[in-house]
Amino acid sequence: MNVTPFWLAGRPETGDGELTVTHPYDGRVVGTAAVPTPAQVEEAIAAADALRKQAAALPLHVRAEALAHVSARLAERAEEVARLITAENGKPLLWARGEVTRAISTFRFAAEEARRFSATTQRLDTDPAAEGRMAYITRVPKGPVLGISPFNFPLNLAAHKIAPAIAAGAPIVLKPAPATPLSALLLGELLAETGLPAGMFSILPVPNDRASALVDDPRLPIVSFTGSVPVGWAINDQAPRKHVTLELGGNGAAVVLPDADLDWAAQRIGLFSNYQAGQSCIAVQRVYVDRSVYEEFVPKLVDTVASLVTGDPWDDKTQVGPLVSQEAAERVEAWVDEAVAAGAKVLTGGTREGAAYAPTVLAGVPADAKISREEVFGPVMFVQPVDGVDEAFDLVNDSKFGLQAGIFTRNLDIAFRAHRELDVGGVVIGDVPSYRADQMPYGGVKDSGVGREGLRSAMADYTEERVMIFTGL
Ligand code: NAD
Protein backbone atom coordinates (compact mmCIF):
# COMPACT_ATOMS: atom_id res chain seq x y z
CA MET A 1 0.00 0.00 0.00
CA ASN A 2 1.30 3.44 -0.93
CA VAL A 3 2.28 5.72 1.91
CA THR A 4 0.46 9.06 1.76
CA PRO A 5 3.02 11.84 2.09
CA PHE A 6 2.58 14.71 4.50
CA TRP A 7 2.96 18.35 3.46
CA LEU A 8 6.01 20.26 4.58
CA ALA A 9 5.96 23.93 3.59
CA GLY A 10 3.81 23.11 0.58
CA ARG A 11 5.72 20.07 -0.70
CA PRO A 12 5.00 16.35 -0.22
CA GLU A 13 7.46 14.52 2.02
CA THR A 14 7.92 11.23 3.74
CA GLY A 15 9.43 10.96 7.20
CA ASP A 16 10.71 8.19 9.40
CA GLY A 17 7.51 6.44 10.40
CA GLU A 18 3.98 5.66 9.33
CA LEU A 19 0.51 5.92 10.81
CA THR A 20 -1.74 3.02 9.90
CA VAL A 21 -5.33 4.04 9.17
CA THR A 22 -8.06 1.43 9.61
CA HIS A 23 -11.71 1.32 8.59
CA PRO A 24 -13.91 1.34 11.71
CA TYR A 25 -16.57 -0.93 10.14
CA ASP A 26 -14.37 -3.96 9.51
CA GLY A 27 -10.95 -3.03 10.83
CA ARG A 28 -9.20 -3.39 7.48
CA VAL A 29 -6.22 -1.17 6.72
CA VAL A 30 -7.28 1.62 4.35
CA GLY A 31 -4.07 3.60 4.17
CA THR A 32 -0.88 4.72 5.79
CA ALA A 33 0.31 8.26 6.36
CA ALA A 34 3.94 9.30 6.59
CA VAL A 35 4.93 10.80 9.94
CA PRO A 36 7.38 13.72 9.99
CA THR A 37 10.60 13.62 11.98
CA PRO A 38 11.18 16.29 14.66
CA ALA A 39 13.61 17.98 12.25
CA GLN A 40 10.91 18.13 9.58
CA VAL A 41 8.43 19.60 12.07
CA GLU A 42 11.03 22.22 12.92
CA GLU A 43 11.50 22.98 9.21
CA ALA A 44 7.73 23.43 8.74
CA ILE A 45 7.46 25.84 11.68
CA ALA A 46 10.53 27.78 10.59
CA ALA A 47 9.09 28.09 7.06
CA ALA A 48 5.76 29.37 8.40
CA ASP A 49 7.57 31.87 10.61
CA ALA A 50 9.83 33.04 7.79
CA LEU A 51 6.81 33.66 5.57
CA ARG A 52 4.91 35.69 8.17
CA LYS A 53 5.31 39.17 6.65
CA GLN A 54 5.11 38.04 3.03
CA ALA A 55 1.93 36.08 3.76
CA ALA A 56 0.31 39.11 5.38
CA ALA A 57 1.10 41.09 2.22
CA LEU A 58 -0.29 38.49 -0.22
CA PRO A 59 -2.69 40.29 -2.54
CA LEU A 60 -6.31 39.55 -1.75
CA HIS A 61 -7.04 38.30 -5.25
CA VAL A 62 -4.22 35.74 -4.90
CA ARG A 63 -5.70 34.46 -1.65
CA ALA A 64 -9.22 34.41 -3.07
CA GLU A 65 -8.18 32.62 -6.28
CA ALA A 66 -6.24 29.96 -4.32
CA LEU A 67 -9.24 29.31 -2.06
CA ALA A 68 -11.65 29.22 -4.98
CA HIS A 69 -9.33 26.76 -6.72
CA VAL A 70 -9.42 24.38 -3.75
CA SER A 71 -13.21 24.68 -3.64
CA ALA A 72 -13.54 23.89 -7.36
CA ARG A 73 -11.10 20.97 -7.23
CA LEU A 74 -12.88 19.49 -4.22
CA ALA A 75 -16.10 19.66 -6.24
CA GLU A 76 -14.41 17.85 -9.15
CA ARG A 77 -13.05 15.13 -6.86
CA ALA A 78 -16.07 15.05 -4.52
CA GLU A 79 -16.92 11.36 -4.78
CA GLU A 80 -13.31 10.24 -4.34
CA VAL A 81 -12.92 12.50 -1.29
CA ALA A 82 -16.21 11.29 0.22
CA ARG A 83 -15.05 7.70 -0.16
CA LEU A 84 -11.77 8.54 1.55
CA ILE A 85 -13.68 10.06 4.49
CA THR A 86 -15.87 6.96 4.77
CA ALA A 87 -12.82 4.72 4.55
CA GLU A 88 -10.90 6.39 7.35
CA ASN A 89 -13.74 7.60 9.58
CA GLY A 90 -16.45 4.98 9.01
CA LYS A 91 -19.24 7.55 8.58
CA PRO A 92 -21.83 6.50 5.99
CA LEU A 93 -21.32 7.81 2.45
CA LEU A 94 -24.47 9.87 2.91
CA TRP A 95 -22.75 12.00 5.56
CA ALA A 96 -19.32 11.85 3.95
CA ARG A 97 -20.79 13.34 0.77
CA GLY A 98 -22.46 16.01 2.88
CA GLU A 99 -19.15 16.80 4.53
CA VAL A 100 -17.46 17.27 1.15
CA THR A 101 -20.27 19.58 0.04
CA ARG A 102 -19.73 21.61 3.17
CA ALA A 103 -15.95 21.78 2.68
CA ILE A 104 -16.51 23.01 -0.89
CA SER A 105 -18.62 25.81 0.61
CA THR A 106 -16.13 26.50 3.39
CA PHE A 107 -13.38 27.24 0.85
CA ARG A 108 -15.78 29.22 -1.32
CA PHE A 109 -16.95 31.34 1.63
CA ALA A 110 -13.30 31.93 2.56
CA ALA A 111 -12.59 33.12 -0.99
CA GLU A 112 -15.51 35.54 -0.70
CA GLU A 113 -14.31 36.78 2.69
CA ALA A 114 -10.79 37.27 1.33
CA ARG A 115 -12.22 39.62 -1.31
CA ARG A 116 -14.03 41.56 1.44
CA PHE A 117 -10.98 41.73 3.73
CA SER A 118 -10.57 45.46 3.60
CA ALA A 119 -9.24 48.40 5.55
CA THR A 120 -11.37 50.99 7.33
CA THR A 121 -10.87 54.58 8.37
CA GLN A 122 -12.08 56.42 11.42
CA ARG A 123 -12.23 60.18 11.80
CA LEU A 124 -10.84 61.03 15.22
CA ASP A 125 -12.12 64.63 15.36
CA THR A 126 -15.10 63.65 17.46
CA ASP A 127 -12.66 64.69 20.19
CA PRO A 128 -11.55 68.37 20.10
CA ALA A 129 -8.02 67.29 20.97
CA ALA A 130 -7.90 65.13 17.83
CA GLU A 131 -8.97 67.72 15.28
CA GLY A 132 -7.25 67.09 11.97
CA ARG A 133 -6.49 63.48 12.78
CA MET A 134 -7.77 60.31 11.16
CA ALA A 135 -7.07 56.62 11.74
CA TYR A 136 -6.47 54.08 8.98
CA ILE A 137 -7.15 50.58 10.33
CA THR A 138 -6.22 47.19 8.91
CA ARG A 139 -6.35 43.72 10.40
CA VAL A 140 -2.92 42.09 10.60
CA PRO A 141 -2.38 38.36 11.25
CA LYS A 142 -1.07 37.71 14.75
CA GLY A 143 1.28 35.18 13.21
CA PRO A 144 1.24 31.63 11.89
CA VAL A 145 -1.65 29.46 13.03
CA LEU A 146 -1.41 26.04 14.63
CA GLY A 147 -4.60 24.20 13.66
CA ILE A 148 -5.47 20.98 15.48
CA SER A 149 -8.46 19.06 14.13
CA PRO A 150 -10.49 16.04 15.34
CA PHE A 151 -11.49 12.77 13.73
CA ASN A 152 -15.23 13.33 13.35
CA PHE A 153 -15.20 15.82 10.44
CA PRO A 154 -11.70 15.10 9.15
CA LEU A 155 -12.10 17.22 6.00
CA ASN A 156 -14.37 20.11 6.86
CA LEU A 157 -12.86 20.89 10.23
CA ALA A 158 -9.40 20.91 8.66
CA ALA A 159 -10.92 23.27 6.08
CA HIS A 160 -12.20 25.50 8.90
CA LYS A 161 -8.62 25.95 10.12
CA ILE A 162 -6.84 26.27 6.78
CA ALA A 163 -9.26 28.37 4.71
CA PRO A 164 -9.60 31.36 7.08
CA ALA A 165 -5.83 31.35 7.69
CA ILE A 166 -5.12 31.74 3.98
CA ALA A 167 -7.89 34.33 3.62
CA ALA A 168 -6.43 36.32 6.53
CA GLY A 169 -2.85 36.05 5.21
CA ALA A 170 -1.55 33.77 7.96
CA PRO A 171 0.60 30.69 7.32
CA ILE A 172 -0.81 27.55 8.92
CA VAL A 173 0.55 24.33 10.33
CA LEU A 174 -2.26 21.80 10.61
CA LYS A 175 -2.15 18.72 12.82
CA PRO A 176 -4.97 16.33 11.84
CA ALA A 177 -6.27 13.56 14.13
CA PRO A 178 -4.09 10.43 13.96
CA ALA A 179 -7.11 8.16 13.27
CA THR A 180 -8.17 10.17 10.20
CA PRO A 181 -5.24 12.01 8.56
CA LEU A 182 -5.93 11.04 4.93
CA SER A 183 -8.60 13.54 3.93
CA ALA A 184 -6.63 16.45 5.40
CA LEU A 185 -3.58 15.24 3.47
CA LEU A 186 -5.64 15.14 0.28
CA LEU A 187 -6.48 18.77 0.92
CA GLY A 188 -2.73 19.35 0.82
CA GLU A 189 -2.66 18.10 -2.78
CA LEU A 190 -5.23 20.68 -3.80
CA LEU A 191 -3.52 23.48 -1.89
CA ALA A 192 -0.21 22.57 -3.53
CA GLU A 193 -1.80 23.18 -6.95
CA THR A 194 -2.55 26.80 -6.07
CA GLY A 195 0.98 28.15 -6.24
CA LEU A 196 0.69 29.75 -2.81
CA PRO A 197 4.17 30.53 -1.47
CA ALA A 198 6.08 27.70 0.20
CA GLY A 199 5.56 27.90 3.93
CA MET A 200 1.94 28.99 3.63
CA PHE A 201 0.74 25.56 4.69
CA SER A 202 2.09 22.39 6.27
CA ILE A 203 -0.04 19.38 7.18
CA LEU A 204 1.76 17.25 9.74
CA PRO A 205 0.18 14.07 11.10
CA VAL A 206 2.34 13.97 14.21
CA PRO A 207 1.27 11.57 16.97
CA ASN A 208 -0.44 13.02 20.04
CA ASP A 209 2.60 12.64 22.28
CA ARG A 210 4.53 14.99 20.01
CA ALA A 211 1.72 17.54 19.56
CA SER A 212 2.56 19.31 22.81
CA ALA A 213 5.79 20.62 21.32
CA LEU A 214 3.78 22.38 18.60
CA VAL A 215 1.59 24.02 21.23
CA ASP A 216 4.70 25.20 23.12
CA ASP A 217 6.41 26.72 20.09
CA PRO A 218 6.34 30.54 20.31
CA ARG A 219 6.51 30.87 16.53
CA LEU A 220 2.90 29.60 16.32
CA PRO A 221 1.12 32.27 18.40
CA ILE A 222 -2.42 31.27 17.40
CA VAL A 223 -3.80 27.87 18.34
CA SER A 224 -7.12 26.91 16.78
CA PHE A 225 -8.17 23.65 18.39
CA THR A 226 -11.22 21.48 17.74
CA GLY A 227 -11.52 18.36 19.84
CA SER A 228 -12.32 17.06 23.27
CA VAL A 229 -12.84 19.11 26.41
CA PRO A 230 -9.90 17.89 28.52
CA VAL A 231 -7.35 18.19 25.71
CA GLY A 232 -8.66 21.63 24.70
CA TRP A 233 -8.51 23.21 28.13
CA ALA A 234 -5.13 21.60 28.84
CA ILE A 235 -3.83 23.33 25.69
CA ASN A 236 -5.30 26.62 26.93
CA ASP A 237 -3.47 26.18 30.25
CA GLN A 238 -0.31 25.14 28.49
CA ALA A 239 -0.19 28.26 26.32
CA PRO A 240 -1.49 31.19 28.39
CA ARG A 241 0.30 33.78 26.24
CA LYS A 242 -1.14 32.48 22.97
CA HIS A 243 -4.41 33.29 21.30
CA VAL A 244 -6.25 30.00 21.78
CA THR A 245 -9.60 29.16 20.17
CA LEU A 246 -11.32 26.06 21.54
CA GLU A 247 -14.18 24.29 19.75
CA LEU A 248 -14.96 21.49 22.18
CA GLY A 249 -17.69 19.08 23.17
CA GLY A 250 -21.32 19.41 24.11
CA ASN A 251 -24.43 17.50 25.12
CA GLY A 252 -26.86 19.28 22.80
CA ALA A 253 -30.41 19.91 23.98
CA ALA A 254 -33.60 20.09 21.96
CA VAL A 255 -36.82 21.52 23.41
CA VAL A 256 -40.20 20.55 21.95
CA LEU A 257 -42.98 22.99 22.83
CA PRO A 258 -46.73 22.44 22.31
CA ASP A 259 -46.96 24.66 19.22
CA ALA A 260 -44.25 22.71 17.37
CA ASP A 261 -44.83 20.56 14.32
CA LEU A 262 -44.35 17.28 16.18
CA ASP A 263 -43.74 15.15 13.07
CA TRP A 264 -40.99 17.46 11.89
CA ALA A 265 -39.46 17.64 15.39
CA ALA A 266 -39.47 13.85 15.72
CA GLN A 267 -37.85 13.37 12.32
CA ARG A 268 -35.15 15.94 12.90
CA ILE A 269 -34.33 14.92 16.48
CA GLY A 270 -34.43 11.23 15.55
CA LEU A 271 -31.97 11.73 12.72
CA PHE A 272 -29.65 14.28 14.31
CA SER A 273 -29.12 12.41 17.52
CA ASN A 274 -27.78 9.60 15.39
CA TYR A 275 -26.11 11.10 12.33
CA GLN A 276 -22.44 10.17 12.26
CA ALA A 277 -23.37 7.66 14.97
CA GLY A 278 -23.84 10.63 17.32
CA GLN A 279 -20.21 11.66 16.89
CA SER A 280 -20.90 15.34 16.43
CA CYS A 281 -20.33 17.99 19.06
CA ILE A 282 -23.84 19.33 18.34
CA ALA A 283 -25.67 16.00 18.12
CA VAL A 284 -28.94 15.91 20.08
CA GLN A 285 -28.45 14.20 23.41
CA ARG A 286 -31.05 15.76 25.74
CA VAL A 287 -34.66 16.14 24.62
CA TYR A 288 -37.06 18.14 26.78
CA VAL A 289 -40.69 17.84 25.72
CA ASP A 290 -43.61 19.84 27.06
CA ARG A 291 -45.71 17.45 29.14
CA SER A 292 -48.89 18.36 27.19
CA VAL A 293 -47.45 16.79 24.02
CA TYR A 294 -45.05 14.24 25.56
CA GLU A 295 -47.29 11.18 25.09
CA GLU A 296 -48.01 12.12 21.49
CA PHE A 297 -44.41 13.03 20.64
CA VAL A 298 -42.40 10.16 22.13
CA PRO A 299 -43.84 7.33 19.96
CA LYS A 300 -43.18 9.45 16.86
CA LEU A 301 -39.58 9.91 17.96
CA VAL A 302 -39.10 6.24 18.81
CA ASP A 303 -40.58 5.22 15.45
CA THR A 304 -38.20 7.53 13.60
CA VAL A 305 -35.18 6.23 15.49
CA ALA A 306 -36.16 2.57 15.18
CA SER A 307 -36.54 2.94 11.42
CA LEU A 308 -33.14 4.54 10.78
CA VAL A 309 -31.09 2.45 8.36
CA THR A 310 -28.04 1.14 10.19
CA GLY A 311 -25.10 -0.92 9.04
CA ASP A 312 -22.56 -0.82 6.24
CA PRO A 313 -21.32 2.75 5.70
CA TRP A 314 -20.64 1.95 2.02
CA ASP A 315 -24.33 1.32 1.38
CA ASP A 316 -25.92 4.46 -0.08
CA LYS A 317 -28.98 4.05 2.11
CA THR A 318 -27.19 3.67 5.45
CA GLN A 319 -27.91 6.51 7.86
CA VAL A 320 -26.08 5.23 10.95
CA GLY A 321 -22.74 3.45 10.71
CA PRO A 322 -20.17 2.37 13.29
CA LEU A 323 -18.47 4.58 15.85
CA VAL A 324 -14.84 5.39 15.28
CA SER A 325 -13.70 2.29 17.23
CA GLN A 326 -14.99 -0.62 19.24
CA GLU A 327 -13.65 1.01 22.42
CA ALA A 328 -15.79 4.08 21.69
CA ALA A 329 -18.88 1.88 21.29
CA GLU A 330 -18.04 -0.03 24.49
CA ARG A 331 -17.85 3.26 26.41
CA VAL A 332 -21.29 4.27 25.10
CA GLU A 333 -22.62 0.85 26.10
CA ALA A 334 -21.21 1.22 29.62
CA TRP A 335 -22.85 4.65 30.00
CA VAL A 336 -26.24 3.34 28.86
CA ASP A 337 -25.90 0.35 31.20
CA GLU A 338 -25.10 2.72 34.06
CA ALA A 339 -28.23 4.78 33.36
CA VAL A 340 -30.39 1.64 33.09
CA ALA A 341 -29.00 0.29 36.36
CA ALA A 342 -30.03 3.62 37.93
CA GLY A 343 -33.62 3.27 36.67
CA ALA A 344 -33.63 4.50 33.04
CA LYS A 345 -35.83 2.72 30.50
CA VAL A 346 -34.67 1.82 26.97
CA LEU A 347 -37.41 2.85 24.51
CA THR A 348 -35.45 1.59 21.51
CA GLY A 349 -31.86 0.48 20.85
CA GLY A 350 -29.49 -0.24 23.69
CA THR A 351 -27.45 -2.90 21.91
CA ARG A 352 -23.90 -3.08 20.56
CA GLU A 353 -22.28 -5.11 17.82
CA GLY A 354 -18.55 -4.49 17.50
CA ALA A 355 -18.00 -0.78 16.82
CA ALA A 356 -21.70 -0.24 16.04
CA TYR A 357 -24.12 0.93 18.71
CA ALA A 358 -27.84 0.86 17.91
CA PRO A 359 -29.65 4.23 17.77
CA THR A 360 -31.05 4.53 21.26
CA VAL A 361 -33.74 6.49 23.07
CA LEU A 362 -33.88 6.42 26.85
CA ALA A 363 -36.43 7.77 29.30
CA GLY A 364 -36.24 8.25 33.05
CA VAL A 365 -32.50 8.96 33.04
CA PRO A 366 -31.40 10.25 36.47
CA ALA A 367 -29.99 13.78 36.45
CA ASP A 368 -26.62 12.63 37.73
CA ALA A 369 -26.09 9.82 35.18
CA LYS A 370 -23.23 10.27 32.68
CA ILE A 371 -25.79 10.22 29.85
CA SER A 372 -27.31 13.35 31.42
CA ARG A 373 -24.21 15.24 32.37
CA GLU A 374 -21.33 14.27 30.07
CA GLU A 375 -20.93 14.26 26.28
CA VAL A 376 -22.03 10.81 25.09
CA PHE A 377 -20.59 11.22 21.56
CA GLY A 378 -22.61 8.23 20.45
CA PRO A 379 -26.12 7.51 19.06
CA VAL A 380 -27.96 7.93 22.33
CA MET A 381 -30.47 10.49 23.56
CA PHE A 382 -32.93 10.69 26.42
CA VAL A 383 -36.40 12.24 26.55
CA GLN A 384 -37.82 14.01 29.56
CA PRO A 385 -41.20 15.72 30.08
CA VAL A 386 -41.13 19.34 31.28
CA ASP A 387 -43.78 21.72 32.56
CA GLY A 388 -43.41 24.76 30.33
CA VAL A 389 -40.70 26.98 28.96
CA ASP A 390 -39.18 28.01 32.30
CA GLU A 391 -38.38 24.47 33.31
CA ALA A 392 -37.20 23.57 29.81
CA PHE A 393 -34.77 26.50 29.65
CA ASP A 394 -33.50 25.84 33.19
CA LEU A 395 -32.71 22.26 32.18
CA VAL A 396 -31.01 23.32 28.94
CA ASN A 397 -28.78 25.62 31.01
CA ASP A 398 -28.17 22.94 33.64
CA SER A 399 -25.14 21.65 31.78
CA LYS A 400 -21.44 22.33 31.96
CA PHE A 401 -21.52 22.62 28.17
CA GLY A 402 -23.02 25.31 25.95
CA LEU A 403 -22.61 24.90 22.20
CA GLN A 404 -26.04 25.17 20.59
CA ALA A 405 -29.66 24.49 21.54
CA GLY A 406 -32.63 23.70 19.30
CA ILE A 407 -36.07 25.03 20.20
CA PHE A 408 -39.07 23.65 18.33
CA THR A 409 -41.56 26.48 18.53
CA ARG A 410 -43.30 28.93 16.19
CA ASN A 411 -43.60 31.58 18.87
CA LEU A 412 -41.34 34.58 18.22
CA ASP A 413 -41.40 35.76 21.83
CA ILE A 414 -40.13 32.39 22.99
CA ALA A 415 -37.51 32.42 20.23
CA PHE A 416 -36.09 35.75 21.37
CA ARG A 417 -36.31 34.65 24.97
CA ALA A 418 -34.28 31.53 24.11
CA HIS A 419 -31.69 33.69 22.41
CA ARG A 420 -31.46 35.92 25.50
CA GLU A 421 -31.57 33.31 28.22
CA LEU A 422 -29.84 30.18 27.00
CA ASP A 423 -26.13 29.93 27.78
CA VAL A 424 -24.98 28.68 24.39
CA GLY A 425 -23.11 29.93 21.34
CA GLY A 426 -26.19 29.56 19.12
CA VAL A 427 -29.92 28.94 19.32
CA VAL A 428 -31.66 27.18 16.44
CA ILE A 429 -35.38 27.93 16.24
CA GLY A 430 -37.55 25.29 14.62
CA ASP A 431 -34.75 22.77 14.21
CA VAL A 432 -32.14 20.69 16.04
CA PRO A 433 -29.05 22.15 17.75
CA SER A 434 -27.06 20.16 15.19
CA TYR A 435 -27.62 22.72 12.43
CA ARG A 436 -24.50 24.57 11.37
CA ALA A 437 -24.02 26.80 8.37
CA ASP A 438 -20.31 27.06 7.68
CA GLN A 439 -20.22 30.82 7.15
CA MET A 440 -21.94 31.74 10.43
CA PRO A 441 -20.22 32.34 13.78
CA TYR A 442 -20.00 29.01 15.51
CA GLY A 443 -18.69 28.02 18.91
CA GLY A 444 -19.57 27.56 22.53
CA VAL A 445 -19.49 28.87 26.07
CA LYS A 446 -18.66 27.22 29.41
CA ASP A 447 -16.71 23.96 28.97
CA SER A 448 -17.62 23.89 25.27
CA GLY A 449 -14.91 26.37 24.44
CA VAL A 450 -13.93 29.90 23.68
CA GLY A 451 -13.82 31.90 20.44
CA ARG A 452 -15.81 31.45 17.25
CA GLU A 453 -15.27 29.68 13.95
CA GLY A 454 -17.05 30.47 10.69
CA LEU A 455 -14.95 32.19 8.09
CA ARG A 456 -15.34 35.83 9.09
CA SER A 457 -15.14 35.02 12.80
CA ALA A 458 -12.04 32.85 12.42
CA MET A 459 -10.35 35.55 10.32
CA ALA A 460 -11.10 38.07 13.06
CA ASP A 461 -9.61 35.62 15.57
CA TYR A 462 -6.43 35.10 13.59
CA THR A 463 -5.84 38.84 13.15
CA GLU A 464 -5.76 42.02 15.18
CA GLU A 465 -6.33 45.62 14.31
CA ARG A 466 -3.37 47.83 13.50
CA VAL A 467 -3.90 51.56 13.32
CA MET A 468 -2.06 54.29 11.44
CA ILE A 469 -2.94 57.84 12.50
CA PHE A 470 -2.71 60.72 10.02
CA THR A 471 -1.98 64.11 11.47
CA GLY A 472 -2.71 67.57 10.11
CA LEU A 473 -5.62 66.76 7.82
P1 NAD B 1 -9.31 14.74 20.78
O1 NAD B 1 -9.28 15.84 21.78
O2 NAD B 1 -8.93 13.39 21.23
O3 NAD B 1 -8.34 15.09 19.57
C1 NAD B 1 -8.48 16.28 18.84
C2 NAD B 1 -7.12 16.63 18.25
O4 NAD B 1 -6.21 16.94 19.31
C3 NAD B 1 -6.48 15.49 17.47
O5 NAD B 1 -5.80 16.02 16.35
C4 NAD B 1 -5.49 14.95 18.46
O6 NAD B 1 -4.45 14.27 17.85
C5 NAD B 1 -5.02 16.21 19.14
N1 NAD B 1 -4.37 16.04 20.44
C6 NAD B 1 -4.58 15.07 21.36
N2 NAD B 1 -3.80 15.28 22.44
C7 NAD B 1 -3.11 16.42 22.21
C8 NAD B 1 -2.16 17.19 22.95
N3 NAD B 1 -1.76 16.82 24.16
N4 NAD B 1 -1.67 18.32 22.40
C9 NAD B 1 -2.08 18.73 21.19
N5 NAD B 1 -2.98 18.05 20.43
C10 NAD B 1 -3.49 16.91 20.94
O7 NAD B 1 -10.76 14.79 20.12
P2 NAD B 1 -11.37 13.77 19.05
O8 NAD B 1 -11.71 12.52 19.77
O9 NAD B 1 -10.54 13.71 17.82
O10 NAD B 1 -12.71 14.55 18.66
C11 NAD B 1 -13.88 14.42 19.37
C12 NAD B 1 -14.15 15.64 20.22
O11 NAD B 1 -14.13 16.81 19.41
C13 NAD B 1 -15.52 15.62 20.86
O12 NAD B 1 -15.43 16.03 22.20
C14 NAD B 1 -16.31 16.62 20.03
O13 NAD B 1 -17.39 17.20 20.70
C15 NAD B 1 -15.26 17.62 19.70
N6 NAD B 1 -15.65 18.40 18.53
C16 NAD B 1 -15.98 19.71 18.69
C17 NAD B 1 -16.39 20.46 17.60
C18 NAD B 1 -16.75 21.90 17.73
O14 NAD B 1 -16.72 22.59 16.72
N7 NAD B 1 -17.09 22.38 18.90
C19 NAD B 1 -16.46 19.86 16.35
C20 NAD B 1 -16.12 18.53 16.22
C21 NAD B 1 -15.70 17.81 17.33
Side-chain angles (χ1 to χ4, degrees):
M1 188 170 284
N2 289 341
V3 177
T4 305
F6 57 84
W7 295 91
L8 197 173
R11 62 175 203 273
E13 282 286 350
T14 50
D16 66 351
E18 287 164 19
L19 273 178
T20 302
V21 182
T22 54
H23 182 43
Y25 189 60
D26 56 16
R28 86 192 138 89
V29 174
V30 291
T32 51
V35 173
T37 64
Q40 287 170 319
V41 172
E42 165 57 30
E43 190 187 336
I45 299 173
D49 186 47
L51 193 72
R52 207 161 51 91
K53 294 242 158 64
Q54 194 191 329
L58 260 186
L60 297 182
H61 77 93
V62 172
R63 304 180 202 181
E65 282 152 18
L67 292 161
H69 173 87
V70 176
S71 176
R73 292 285 288 137
L74 268 178
E76 278 169 25
R77 295 178 63 177
E79 186 60 18
E80 172 199 350
V81 183
R83 288 181 172 273
L84 191 60
I85 293 174
T86 295
E88 65 175 356
N89 169 285
K91 72 173 70 175
L93 271 177
L94 170 75
W95 303 114
R97 290 186 180 123
E99 181 173 351
V100 178
T101 304
R102 286 182 58 185
I104 293 167
S105 301
T106 300
F107 276 98
R108 182 167 49 79
F109 294 139
E112 289 166 5
E113 290 300 338
R115 291 194 186 278
R116 281 196 279 266
F117 191 65
S118 196
T120 56
T121 54
Q122 184 181 11
R123 283 180 59 157
L124 301 178
D125 57 359
T126 47
D127 176 3
E131 270 183 33
R133 294 184 190 253
M134 186 188 71
Y136 163 78
I137 307 156
T138 59
R139 295 199 71 90
V140 179
K142 291 170 189 153
V145 178
L146 169 60
I148 303 179
S149 54
F151 76 85
N152 65 335
F153 287 92
L155 179 74
N156 195 39
L157 292 179
H160 267 288
K161 310 293 179 207
I162 295 172
I166 292 172
I172 177 157
V173 173
L174 180 87
K175 194 209 90 57
T180 55
L182 301 178
S183 24
L185 293 173
L186 189 141
L187 218 40
E189 276 179 47
L190 310 183
L191 286 160
E193 296 168 357
T194 61
L196 282 168
M200 197 65 193
F201 77 95
S202 290
I203 303 176
L204 306 176
V206 299
N208 288 349
D209 58 359
R210 285 174 48 203
S212 234
L214 291 166
V215 175
D216 280 336
D217 197 299
R219 291 166 296 178
L220 301 172
I222 306 166
V223 182
S224 174
F225 175 87
T226 303
S228 62
V229 170
V231 175
W233 289 107
I235 285 175
N236 194 57
D237 292 345
Q238 189 187 338
R241 303 281 301 257
K242 294 195 176 195
H243 183 92
V244 178
T245 300
L246 300 177
E247 300 289 348
L248 310 178
N251 58 2
V255 174
V256 181
L257 293 174
D259 68 332
D261 176 338
L262 297 186
D263 291 321
W264 164 253
Q267 275 168 33
R268 299 294 287 178
I269 293 171
L271 185 57
F272 284 95
S273 175
N274 295 295
Y275 86 121
Q276 310 214 130
Q279 298 168 121
S280 159
C281 48
I282 39 178
V284 184
Q285 183 174 331
R286 303 177 292 143
V287 185
Y288 302 116
V289 186
D290 193 273
R291 198 177 296 279
S292 64
V293 291
Y294 186 81
E295 294 302 329
E296 186 185 350
F297 174 75
V298 170
K300 291 178 191 284
L301 179 66
V302 170
D303 280 354
T304 305
V305 173
S307 61
L308 291 172
V309 182
T310 60
D312 186 347
W314 296 102
D315 186 327
D316 274 339
K317 294 192 192 64
T318 299
Q319 292 168 298
V320 185
L323 280 88
V324 71
S325 63
Q326 178 156 331
E327 300 79 74
E330 284 168 355
R331 180 190 52 74
V332 172
E333 182 178 42
W335 288 19
V336 172
D337 290 350
E338 180 213 66
V340 169
K345 213 171 134 207
V346 178
L347 303 184
T348 183
T351 55
R352 182 182 67 78
E353 211 184 310
Y357 197 79
T360 298
V361 183
L362 303 174
V365 173
D368 59 354
K370 289 202 190 73
I371 293 284
S372 287
R373 307 226 66 83
E374 304 296 331
E375 175 185 44
V376 63
F377 222 55
V380 179
M381 73 180 115
F382 67 87
V383 281
Q384 183 175 327
V386 292
D387 291 305
V389 177
D390 288 354
E391 187 186 1
F393 285 9
D394 284 350
L395 285 167
V396 172
N397 282 338
D398 182 21
S399 168
K400 61 184 172 185
F401 303 112
L403 267 183
Q404 297 204 133
I407 313 297
F408 286 88
T409 183
R410 293 184 253 210
N411 180 318
L412 258 188
D413 289 338
I414 293 175
F416 277 99
R417 189 177 155 196
H419 184 259
R420 276 195 309 274
E421 294 182 9
L422 296 179
D423 299 325
V424 289
V427 174
V428 185
I429 304 299
D431 206 349
V432 283
S434 331
Y435 179 79
R436 177 181 182 183
D438 289 283
Q439 72 276 43
M440 76 179 194
Y442 174 77
V445 299
K446 301 197 270 188
D447 279 10
S448 292
V450 60
R452 294 293 175 265
E453 269 190 348
L455 287 312
R456 200 179 313 164
S457 305
M459 287 167 72
D461 245 21
Y462 293 173
T463 54
E464 60 203 347
E465 288 177 317
R466 186 177 293 174
V467 179
M468 177 161 66
I469 297 153
F470 289 97
T471 311
L473 296 176

